[in-house]
Amino acid sequence: GAVVSQHPSWVICKSGTSVKIECRSLDFQATTMFWYRQFPKQSLMLMATSNEGSKATYEQGVEKDKFLINHASLTLSTLTVTSAHPEDSSFYICSAPPLAGETQYFGPGTRLLVL
Amino acid sequence: QKEVEQDPGPLSVPEGAIVSLNCTYSNSAFQYFMWYRQYSRKGPELLMYTYSSGNKEDGRFTAQVDKSSKYISLFIRDSQPSDSATYLCAMSSNYQLIWGAGTKLIIKP
């Protein structure tokens, strides 16, 4: 199946700092990528849809100025958590559907811990 | 009422048993149906992907879709301890993926 990578897999930072997470589709192109957040023992929650060459679409309740998304190319999307706070500590996962496909392939996730 | 309903479990069965995982949904517009497996602290892994009603088999896994009843199932034969994970159903229409809550499955050796 298609491969999606994320970097870093683990990050610990101080409150107030910004953290950038990269999501790459390794063997296919994706005009759209999705960013999810998952709290312990809860299901995935869609945060935003990243669109190559245009602005991201954010779900209701997700602050676009706090979670900056850039879809720089057909294989790379980045999520920047600005001025991170302890309540932003979570598991962040990206996914991407291959072009003209409905299936989504997920990255391994990035665990963020804000102290 | 949620668009997709899935019993969160946990579901505990002995090794070798047949496991049945299910989801119901309310939106008849869903066209694509997927099952993902998620191990603790890992991203979801696509297991099965079906379009339209019917059965699809892949090794020990069988996915079943009944659009008339708005009901999907995942069957695992000869279950193994390594199958212990959370299984999430997901449904898609126009690239929007709607998730079930996930069922935690425990296979006891």
Side-chain angles (χ1 to χ4, degrees):
Chain A
V3 179
V4 176
S5 70
Q6 271 183 252
H7 178 78
S9 57
W10 243 114
V11 59
I12 302 174
C13 67
K14 293 182 178 179
S15 184
T17 59
S18 293
V19 175
K20 181 188 282 189
I21 303 170
E22 291 186 350
C23 176
R24 292 182 186 273
S25 56
L26 297 185
D27 52 0
F28 66 97
Q29 294 181 328
T31 55
T32 302
M33 291 184 175
F34 300 90
W35 286 96
Y36 293 84
R37 181 166 53 183
Q38 186 176 36
F39 293 106
K41 299 186 179 181
Q42 293 188 23
S43 190
L44 295 159
M45 289 177 51
L46 179 64
M47 297 175 65
T49 302
S50 170
N51 304 298
E52 190 267 338
S54 64
K55 291 182 180 180
T57 305
Y58 291 81
E59 295 300 301
Q60 192 173 9
V62 178
E63 300 173 57
K64 62 181 180 181
D65 294 330
K66 181 169 184 62
F67 298 99
L68 300 179
I69 290 173
N70 185 309
H71 198 139
S73 74
L74 287 172
T75 59
L76 173 64
S77 174
T78 59
L79 169 68
T80 301
V81 184
T82 61
S83 187
H85 289 96
E87 58 266 30
D88 298 323
S89 298
S90 188
F91 191 48
Y92 291 86
I93 310 172
C94 70
S95 72
L99 290 178
E102 288 270 358
T103 308
Q104 292 189 28
Y105 293 92
F106 284 81
T110 297
R111 190 160 298 279
L112 170 64
L113 178 61
V114 184
L115 301 176
Chain B
Q1 182 191 9
K2 293 181 182 178
E3 278 192 282
V4 178
E5 298 276 0
Q6 184 178 11
D7 187 336
L11 174 63
S12 183
V13 301
E15 183 177 357
I18 297 175
V19 175
S20 173
L21 303 166
N22 311 294
C23 288
T24 59
Y25 63 97
S26 57
N27 188 348
S28 57
F30 290 136
Q31 296 178 310
Y32 299 87
F33 304 89
M34 288 148 277
W35 285 96
Y36 288 84
R37 177 175 62 194
Q38 186 177 23
Y39 292 111
S40 180
R41 299 172 184 257
K42 301 289 185 183
E45 171 195 7
L46 179 66
L47 279 180
M48 300 288 284
Y49 163 47
T50 55
Y51 172 72
S52 78
S53 288
N55 291 356
K56 183 175 182 179
E57 189 173 318
D58 184 1
R60 295 185 297 113
F61 298 92
T62 300
Q64 193 173 76
V65 174
D66 183 348
K67 279 191 168 182
S68 61
S69 301
K70 297 190 180 66
Y71 188 88
I72 69 170
S73 300
L74 177 70
F75 299 97
I76 306 174
R77 292 184 299 280
D78 187 25
S79 56
Q80 306 293 312
S82 57
D83 295 329
S84 298
T86 296
Y87 289 79
L88 302 114
C89 65
M91 304 174 193
S92 176
S93 179
N94 295 322
Y95 295 97
Q96 288 293 319
L97 210 58
I98 308 299
W99 295 91
T103 299
K104 184 173 183 178
L105 174 65
I106 300 169
I107 307 297
K108 297 176 293 185

